[in-house]
Amino acid sequence: MFGFEASWMYGPVALVGVVLFIAVFLLPSLIAFNRDAELRWVILVINLFLGASFVGWLVALYLATRKPKHPLGMPV
């Protein structure tokens, strides 16, 4: 049933899978740059080099989503 005639679908499906994987892998960095986080470049480096371990990815995600620290007297 899904022999040779369905093999043309493997390329686009694989491409979508790779794009989704990269988007999820870089999610902490995307969040950090979108929120203009103070440590966005550090988060990107952590994400790229330690993101393959789930712990590194979680650390990058935590740093990307934490509240920014404001000096006293500054409105939040």
Side-chain angles (χ1 to χ4, degrees):
M1 183 170 158
F2 294 105
F4 178 74
E5 61 276 349
S7 65
W8 64 271
M9 289 182 49
Y10 295 147
V13 170
L15 181 63
V16 168
V18 168
V19 169
L20 284 175
F21 176 79
I22 291 172
V24 170
F25 181 77
L26 293 176
L27 185 64
S29 297
L30 295 171
I31 291 171
F33 278 91
N34 190 36
R35 294 181 71 194
D36 206 23
E38 183 179 339
L39 298 173
R40 62 186 169 269
W41 292 105
V42 174
I43 294 167
L44 178 65
V45 169
I46 290 172
N47 196 189
L48 289 176
F49 292 106
L50 300 175
S53 72
F54 188 65
V55 174
W57 189 85
L58 285 176
V59 168
L61 185 63
Y62 166 74
L63 290 174
T65 57
R66 70 181 183 162
K67 261 188 176 177
K69 294 182 179 181
H70 294 286
L72 294 176
M74 294 290 292
V76 178

Coordinates of all heavy atoms in Angstrom, one line a residue:
M1 N 0.8 -1.2 0.0 CA 0.0 0.0 0.0 C 0.9 1.3 0.0 O 0.6 2.2 -0.8 CB -0.9 0.0 1.2 CG -1.9 1.1 1.3 SD -3.1 0.8 2.5 CE -3.6 2.5 2.8
F2 N 1.8 1.4 0.9 CA 2.7 2.5 0.9 C 4.1 2.1 0.4 O 5.1 2.2 1.1 CB 2.8 3.1 2.4 CG 1.5 3.7 2.9 CD1 0.8 3.0 3.8 CD2 1.1 4.9 2.4 CE1 -0.4 3.5 4.2 CE2 -0.1 5.4 2.8 CZ -0.8 4.8 3.8
G3 N 4.1 1.7 -0.8 CA 5.4 1.3 -1.4 C 6.1 2.5 -2.0 O 6.2 3.6 -1.5
F4 N 6.4 2.3 -3.3 CA 7.2 3.3 -4.0 C 6.4 4.6 -4.2 O 7.0 5.7 -4.2 CB 7.6 2.7 -5.4 CG 8.4 3.6 -6.2 CD1 9.7 4.0 -5.9 CD2 7.8 4.2 -7.3 CE1 10.4 4.8 -6.7 CE2 8.5 5.1 -8.1 CZ 9.8 5.4 -7.8
E5 N 5.1 4.5 -4.4 CA 4.4 5.7 -4.8 C 4.3 6.7 -3.6 O 4.0 7.9 -3.9 CB 2.9 5.3 -5.3 CG 2.1 4.6 -4.2 CD 2.4 3.1 -4.2 OE1 3.0 2.5 -5.1 OE2 1.9 2.4 -3.3
A6 N 4.5 6.3 -2.4 CA 4.4 7.2 -1.3 C 5.8 7.7 -0.8 O 5.9 8.5 0.0 CB 3.7 6.6 -0.1
S7 N 6.9 7.2 -1.5 CA 8.2 7.6 -1.1 C 8.5 9.1 -1.3 O 9.4 9.6 -0.7 CB 9.2 6.7 -1.7 OG 9.2 6.9 -3.1
W8 N 7.8 9.7 -2.2 CA 8.1 11.1 -2.5 C 7.7 12.0 -1.3 O 8.2 13.1 -1.2 CB 7.3 11.6 -3.7 CG 5.8 11.5 -3.5 CD1 5.0 10.5 -3.8 CD2 4.9 12.6 -3.0 NE1 3.7 10.8 -3.4 CE2 3.6 12.1 -2.9 CE3 5.2 13.8 -2.5 CZ2 2.6 12.8 -2.5 CZ3 4.1 14.6 -2.1 CH2 2.8 14.1 -2.0
M9 N 6.9 11.5 -0.4 CA 6.5 12.3 0.8 C 7.6 12.3 1.9 O 7.6 13.1 2.8 CB 5.2 11.7 1.4 CG 4.0 12.0 0.6 SD 2.5 11.4 1.3 CE 2.6 12.0 3.0
Y10 N 8.6 11.4 1.8 CA 9.6 11.3 2.9 C 10.4 12.6 3.0 O 10.8 13.0 4.1 CB 10.5 10.1 2.7 CG 9.7 8.8 2.8 CD1 10.1 7.7 2.1 CD2 8.7 8.7 3.7 CE1 9.4 6.5 2.2 CE2 8.0 7.5 3.8 CZ 8.4 6.4 3.0 OH 7.7 5.2 3.2
G11 N 10.8 13.2 1.9 CA 11.6 14.4 1.9 C 10.9 15.6 2.6 O 11.5 16.1 3.5
P12 N 9.7 16.0 2.2 CA 9.0 17.1 2.9 C 8.7 16.8 4.3 O 8.9 17.7 5.2 CB 7.8 17.3 2.1 CG 8.0 16.7 0.7 CD 9.0 15.6 1.0
V13 N 8.4 15.6 4.6 CA 8.1 15.2 6.0 C 9.3 15.3 6.9 O 9.3 15.8 8.0 CB 7.4 13.8 6.1 CG1 7.3 13.3 7.5 CG2 6.0 13.8 5.5
A14 N 10.4 14.8 6.3 CA 11.7 14.9 7.0 C 12.1 16.3 7.2 O 12.6 16.7 8.3 CB 12.8 14.1 6.3
L15 N 11.9 17.2 6.2 CA 12.3 18.6 6.3 C 11.5 19.3 7.4 O 12.0 20.0 8.2 CB 12.1 19.3 5.0 CG 12.5 20.7 4.9 CD1 13.9 20.9 5.2 CD2 12.1 21.3 3.6
V16 N 10.2 19.0 7.5 CA 9.4 19.6 8.5 C 9.8 19.1 9.9 O 9.9 19.9 10.8 CB 7.9 19.3 8.3 CG1 7.0 19.6 9.5 CG2 7.4 20.0 7.0
G17 N 10.1 17.9 10.0 CA 10.6 17.3 11.3 C 11.9 18.0 11.7 O 12.1 18.3 12.9
V18 N 12.8 18.2 10.8 CA 14.1 18.8 11.1 C 13.9 20.3 11.5 O 14.5 20.7 12.5 CB 15.1 18.7 9.9 CG1 16.3 19.6 10.1 CG2 15.5 17.3 9.7
V19 N 13.0 21.0 10.8 CA 12.8 22.4 11.2 C 12.1 22.5 12.6 O 12.5 23.3 13.4 CB 11.9 23.1 10.1 CG1 11.4 24.4 10.6 CG2 12.7 23.2 8.8
L20 N 11.2 21.6 12.8 CA 10.6 21.6 14.2 C 11.6 21.2 15.3 O 11.6 21.9 16.3 CB 9.4 20.6 14.2 CG 8.1 21.0 13.5 CD1 7.1 19.9 13.5 CD2 7.6 22.3 14.2
F21 N 12.4 20.3 15.0 CA 13.5 19.9 16.0 C 14.4 21.1 16.3 O 14.7 21.4 17.4 CB 14.3 18.7 15.5 CG 15.4 18.4 16.4 CD1 15.2 17.7 17.6 CD2 16.7 18.8 16.1 CE1 16.2 17.4 18.4 CE2 17.8 18.5 17.0 CZ 17.5 17.8 18.1
I22 N 14.8 21.8 15.2 CA 15.7 23.0 15.4 C 15.0 24.1 16.2 O 15.6 24.7 17.0 CB 16.3 23.5 14.1 CG1 17.2 22.4 13.5 CG2 16.9 24.8 14.2 CD1 17.7 22.7 12.1
A23 N 13.7 24.3 15.9 CA 12.9 25.3 16.6 C 12.8 25.0 18.0 O 13.0 25.9 18.9 CB 11.6 25.5 15.9
V24 N 12.5 23.8 18.4 CA 12.4 23.4 19.8 C 13.7 23.4 20.5 O 13.9 23.9 21.6 CB 11.7 22.0 19.9 CG1 11.8 21.5 21.3 CG2 10.3 22.1 19.4
F25 N 14.8 23.0 19.8 CA 16.1 23.0 20.3 C 16.6 24.5 20.7 O 17.1 24.7 21.7 CB 17.1 22.4 19.4 CG 18.5 22.3 19.9 CD1 18.9 21.4 20.8 CD2 19.5 23.2 19.4 CE1 20.2 21.4 21.3 CE2 20.8 23.2 19.9 CZ 21.1 22.3 20.9
L26 N 16.3 25.4 19.8 CA 16.7 26.8 20.0 C 15.6 27.6 20.7 O 15.8 28.9 20.8 CB 17.0 27.4 18.6 CG 18.2 26.9 17.9 CD1 18.4 27.5 16.5 CD2 19.5 27.1 18.8
L27 N 14.6 27.0 21.2 CA 13.5 27.8 21.9 C 14.0 28.7 23.0 O 13.6 29.9 23.0 CB 12.4 26.8 22.4 CG 11.2 27.4 23.0 CD1 10.4 28.2 22.0 CD2 10.3 26.3 23.6
P28 N 14.9 28.3 23.9 CA 15.4 29.2 24.9 C 16.0 30.4 24.3 O 15.8 31.6 24.8 CB 16.4 28.4 25.7 CG 15.9 27.0 25.5 CD 15.4 26.9 24.1
S29 N 16.8 30.3 23.3 CA 17.5 31.4 22.6 C 16.5 32.3 21.9 O 16.6 33.5 22.0 CB 18.5 30.9 21.6 OG 19.5 30.2 22.3
L30 N 15.5 31.7 21.3 CA 14.5 32.5 20.6 C 13.7 33.3 21.6 O 13.4 34.5 21.4 CB 13.5 31.6 19.8 CG 14.2 30.9 18.6 CD1 13.2 29.9 18.1 CD2 14.6 31.9 17.6
I31 N 13.4 32.7 22.8 CA 12.7 33.4 23.8 C 13.5 34.6 24.4 O 13.0 35.7 24.6 CB 12.2 32.5 25.0 CG1 11.2 31.5 24.5 CG2 11.8 33.2 26.2 CD1 10.8 30.4 25.4
A32 N 14.8 34.3 24.6 CA 15.7 35.3 25.2 C 15.8 36.5 24.3 O 15.8 37.6 24.7 CB 17.1 34.7 25.5
F33 N 16.0 36.3 23.0 CA 16.2 37.4 22.1 C 14.8 38.1 21.9 O 14.8 39.3 21.7 CB 16.8 36.9 20.7 CG 18.2 36.8 20.8 CD1 18.8 35.6 21.1 CD2 19.1 37.8 20.5 CE1 20.2 35.4 21.2 CE2 20.4 37.7 20.5 CZ 21.0 36.5 20.9
N34 N 13.7 37.4 21.9 CA 12.4 38.0 21.8 C 12.1 38.9 23.0 O 11.5 40.0 22.8 CB 11.3 37.0 21.6 CG 10.0 37.6 21.2 OD1 10.0 38.6 20.5 ND2 9.0 37.0 21.7
R35 N 12.5 38.5 24.2 CA 12.3 39.2 25.4 C 13.4 40.3 25.6 O 13.3 41.0 26.6 CB 12.2 38.3 26.6 CG 11.0 37.4 26.5 CD 10.9 36.5 27.7 NE 10.5 37.3 28.9 CZ 10.6 36.9 30.1 NH1 11.1 35.7 30.4 NH2 10.3 37.7 31.1
D36 N 14.4 40.3 24.8 CA 15.5 41.2 25.0 C 16.2 41.0 26.3 O 16.5 41.9 27.0 CB 15.1 42.7 24.8 CG 16.2 43.5 24.3 OD1 17.2 43.0 23.7 OD2 16.2 44.8 24.5
A37 N 16.4 39.7 26.7 CA 17.0 39.4 28.0 C 18.4 39.9 28.1 O 19.1 40.0 27.1 CB 17.0 37.9 28.1
E38 N 18.7 40.2 29.3 CA 20.1 40.8 29.6 C 21.2 39.8 29.2 O 22.2 40.2 28.7 CB 20.1 41.1 31.1 CG 21.4 41.8 31.5 CD 21.4 42.1 33.0 OE1 20.3 42.2 33.6 OE2 22.5 42.3 33.5
L39 N 21.0 38.5 29.5 CA 22.0 37.5 29.2 C 21.7 36.7 27.9 O 22.1 35.5 27.8 CB 22.0 36.5 30.4 CG 22.4 37.1 31.7 CD1 22.3 36.1 32.8 CD2 23.8 37.7 31.7
R40 N 21.1 37.4 26.9 CA 20.7 36.6 25.7 C 21.9 35.9 25.0 O 21.7 34.8 24.5 CB 19.9 37.5 24.8 CG 20.6 38.7 24.3 CD 19.7 39.6 23.5 NE 20.3 40.9 23.2 CZ 20.2 41.9 23.9 NH1 19.5 41.9 25.0 NH2 20.8 43.1 23.6
W41 N 23.1 36.5 25.0 CA 24.2 35.9 24.3 C 24.7 34.7 25.1 O 25.2 33.7 24.5 CB 25.3 37.0 24.0 CG 24.8 37.9 23.0 CD1 24.5 39.2 23.2 CD2 24.7 37.7 21.6 NE1 24.1 39.8 22.0 CE2 24.2 38.9 21.0 CE3 24.9 36.6 20.8 CZ2 23.9 39.0 19.7 CZ3 24.6 36.7 19.4 CH2 24.1 37.9 18.9
V42 N 24.7 34.9 26.4 CA 25.1 33.7 27.3 C 24.1 32.6 27.1 O 24.5 31.4 27.0 CB 25.2 34.2 28.7 CG1 25.5 33.0 29.7 CG2 26.2 35.3 28.9
I43 N 22.9 32.9 27.0 CA 21.8 31.9 26.8 C 22.0 31.2 25.5 O 21.9 30.0 25.4 CB 20.4 32.5 26.9 CG1 20.2 33.0 28.4 CG2 19.3 31.5 26.5 CD1 19.0 33.9 28.5
L44 N 22.4 32.0 24.5 CA 22.6 31.4 23.1 C 23.8 30.4 23.2 O 23.7 29.3 22.7 CB 22.9 32.4 22.1 CG 23.2 31.9 20.7 CD1 22.0 31.2 20.1 CD2 23.6 33.1 19.8
V45 N 24.9 30.8 23.9 CA 26.0 29.9 24.0 C 25.7 28.7 24.7 O 26.1 27.5 24.4 CB 27.2 30.7 24.6 CG1 28.4 29.7 24.9 CG2 27.7 31.8 23.6
I46 N 25.0 28.8 25.9 CA 24.6 27.7 26.7 C 23.7 26.7 25.8 O 23.9 25.5 25.8 CB 23.9 28.1 28.0 CG1 24.9 28.7 28.9 CG2 23.2 26.9 28.6 CD1 24.2 29.4 30.1
N47 N 22.8 27.3 25.1 CA 21.9 26.6 24.3 C 22.6 25.8 23.2 O 22.3 24.6 23.0 CB 20.8 27.5 23.7 CG 19.6 26.8 23.2 OD1 18.8 27.4 22.5 ND2 19.5 25.5 23.4
L48 N 23.5 26.4 22.5 CA 24.2 25.8 21.4 C 25.2 24.7 21.9 O 25.3 23.6 21.3 CB 25.0 26.8 20.6 CG 24.2 27.7 19.8 CD1 25.1 28.8 19.1 CD2 23.3 27.0 18.8
F49 N 25.9 24.9 23.0 CA 27.0 24.0 23.4 C 26.5 23.0 24.5 O 27.1 21.9 24.6 CB 28.2 24.8 23.9 CG 28.9 25.5 22.8 CD1 28.8 26.9 22.7 CD2 29.6 24.8 21.8 CE1 29.4 27.5 21.7 CE2 30.2 25.5 20.8 CZ 30.1 26.8 20.7
L50 N 25.5 23.4 25.3 CA 25.1 22.5 26.3 C 23.6 22.0 26.2 O 23.1 21.3 26.9 CB 25.2 23.1 27.7 CG 26.6 23.5 28.1 CD1 26.7 24.2 29.5 CD2 27.5 22.3 28.2
G51 N 23.0 22.5 25.1 CA 21.6 22.2 24.9 C 21.3 20.8 24.5 O 20.2 20.3 24.7
A52 N 22.3 20.1 24.0 CA 22.1 18.7 23.6 C 21.8 17.8 24.9 O 21.1 16.8 24.8 CB 23.3 18.2 22.9
S53 N 22.4 18.2 26.0 CA 22.0 17.6 27.2 C 20.7 18.3 27.7 O 20.6 19.5 27.6 CB 23.1 17.7 28.3 OG 23.2 19.0 28.8
F54 N 19.8 17.5 28.2 CA 18.5 18.1 28.6 C 18.7 19.1 29.7 O 18.0 20.1 29.8 CB 17.6 17.0 29.0 CG 16.2 17.4 29.2 CD1 15.4 18.0 28.2 CD2 15.6 17.4 30.5 CE1 14.1 18.4 28.4 CE2 14.3 17.8 30.7 CZ 13.6 18.3 29.6
V55 N 19.7 18.9 30.6 CA 19.9 19.8 31.7 C 20.4 21.2 31.2 O 19.9 22.2 31.6 CB 21.0 19.2 32.7 CG1 21.4 20.2 33.7 CG2 20.5 17.9 33.3
G56 N 21.3 21.2 30.2 CA 21.7 22.4 29.6 C 20.6 23.2 28.9 O 20.5 24.4 29.0
W57 N 19.7 22.4 28.3 CA 18.6 23.1 27.6 C 17.6 23.7 28.7 O 17.1 24.8 28.5 CB 17.8 22.0 26.8 CG 16.7 22.6 25.9 CD1 16.9 23.1 24.7 CD2 15.3 22.7 26.3 NE1 15.6 23.5 24.2 CE2 14.7 23.3 25.2 CE3 14.6 22.3 27.4 CZ2 13.3 23.5 25.1 CZ3 13.2 22.5 27.3 CH2 12.6 23.1 26.2
L58 N 17.4 23.0 29.8 CA 16.6 23.5 30.9 C 17.2 24.7 31.5 O 16.5 25.7 31.9 CB 16.3 22.4 31.9 CG 15.3 21.3 31.5 CD1 15.3 20.3 32.6 CD2 14.0 21.9 31.3
V59 N 18.5 24.7 31.7 CA 19.2 25.9 32.3 C 19.0 27.1 31.3 O 18.7 28.2 31.8 CB 20.7 25.6 32.5 CG1 21.4 26.9 32.8 CG2 20.8 24.6 33.7
A60 N 19.2 26.9 30.1 CA 19.0 28.0 29.1 C 17.5 28.5 29.1 O 17.3 29.7 29.0 CB 19.4 27.5 27.7
L61 N 16.6 27.6 29.2 CA 15.2 27.9 29.2 C 14.9 28.7 30.5 O 14.1 29.7 30.4 CB 14.3 26.7 29.1 CG 12.8 27.0 29.0 CD1 12.5 27.7 27.8 CD2 12.0 25.6 29.1
Y62 N 15.4 28.3 31.6 CA 15.2 29.0 32.9 C 15.8 30.4 32.8 O 15.1 31.4 33.1 CB 15.8 28.3 34.0 CG 15.9 29.1 35.3 CD1 14.8 29.4 36.0 CD2 17.1 29.7 35.7 CE1 14.9 30.2 37.1 CE2 17.2 30.5 36.8 CZ 16.1 30.8 37.5 OH 16.1 31.6 38.6
L63 N 17.0 30.6 32.3 CA 17.6 31.9 32.2 C 16.8 32.8 31.2 O 16.7 34.0 31.4 CB 19.0 31.8 31.7 CG 20.0 31.2 32.7 CD1 21.4 31.0 32.1 CD2 20.1 32.1 33.9
A64 N 16.2 32.2 30.2 CA 15.5 33.0 29.2 C 14.1 33.4 29.7 O 13.6 34.5 29.3 CB 15.3 32.2 27.9
T65 N 13.6 32.7 30.6 CA 12.2 33.0 31.1 C 12.1 33.7 32.4 O 11.0 34.1 32.9 CB 11.3 31.8 31.1 OG1 11.9 30.8 32.0 CG2 11.1 31.2 29.7
R66 N 13.3 33.8 33.1 CA 13.2 34.5 34.4 C 12.9 35.9 34.3 O 13.2 36.6 33.3 CB 14.5 34.2 35.2 CG 15.7 34.9 34.7 CD 16.9 34.5 35.6 NE 18.0 35.3 35.1 CZ 19.1 35.5 35.7 NH1 19.2 35.0 36.9 NH2 20.0 36.2 35.3
K67 N 12.4 36.5 35.4 CA 12.1 37.9 35.4 C 13.4 38.7 35.4 O 14.4 38.4 36.1 CB 11.4 38.3 36.7 CG 9.9 38.4 36.6 CD 9.3 38.9 37.9 CE 7.9 39.1 37.8 NZ 7.3 39.5 39.1
P68 N 13.4 39.8 34.7 CA 14.6 40.7 34.7 C 14.7 41.4 36.0 O 13.7 41.7 36.7 CB 14.3 41.7 33.6 CG 12.9 41.7 33.3 CD 12.4 40.3 33.8
K69 N 16.0 41.6 36.5 CA 16.2 42.3 37.7 C 16.3 43.8 37.4 O 17.0 44.2 36.5 CB 17.5 41.8 38.3 CG 17.4 40.4 38.8 CD 18.7 39.9 39.4 CE 18.6 38.5 39.8 NZ 19.8 38.0 40.5
H70 N 15.5 44.6 38.2 CA 15.5 46.0 38.1 C 16.2 46.6 39.3 O 16.0 46.1 40.4 CB 14.1 46.5 37.9 CG 13.4 46.1 36.7 ND1 13.7 46.6 35.5 CD2 12.4 45.1 36.5 CE1 12.9 46.0 34.6 NE2 12.2 45.1 35.2
P71 N 16.9 47.7 39.1 CA 17.5 48.4 40.3 C 16.4 49.0 41.2 O 15.3 49.2 40.7 CB 18.3 49.5 39.7 CG 18.4 49.2 38.2 CD 17.3 48.3 37.9
L72 N 16.6 49.1 42.4 CA 15.6 49.7 43.3 C 15.3 51.1 42.9 O 16.1 51.9 42.5 CB 16.2 49.7 44.8 CG 16.4 48.4 45.4 CD1 17.1 48.6 46.8 CD2 15.1 47.6 45.6
G73 N 14.0 51.4 43.0 CA 13.5 52.7 42.6 C 13.1 52.8 41.2 O 12.4 53.8 40.8
M74 N 13.4 51.8 40.4 CA 12.9 51.8 39.0 C 11.6 51.1 38.9 O 11.4 50.1 39.6 CB 13.9 51.0 38.1 CG 15.3 51.6 38.0 SD 15.3 53.1 37.0 CE 14.9 52.5 35.4
P75 N 10.7 51.6 38.2 CA 9.3 51.0 38.1 C 9.5 49.7 37.3 O 10.3 49.6 36.4 CB 8.5 52.0 37.3 CG 9.5 52.9 36.6 CD 10.7 52.9 37.5
V76 N 8.7 48.7 37.6 CA 8.7 47.4 37.0 C 7.9 47.4 35.8 O 7.0 48.0 35.5 CB 8.3 46.3 38.0 CG1 8.3 45.0 37.3 CG2 9.2 46.3 39.2

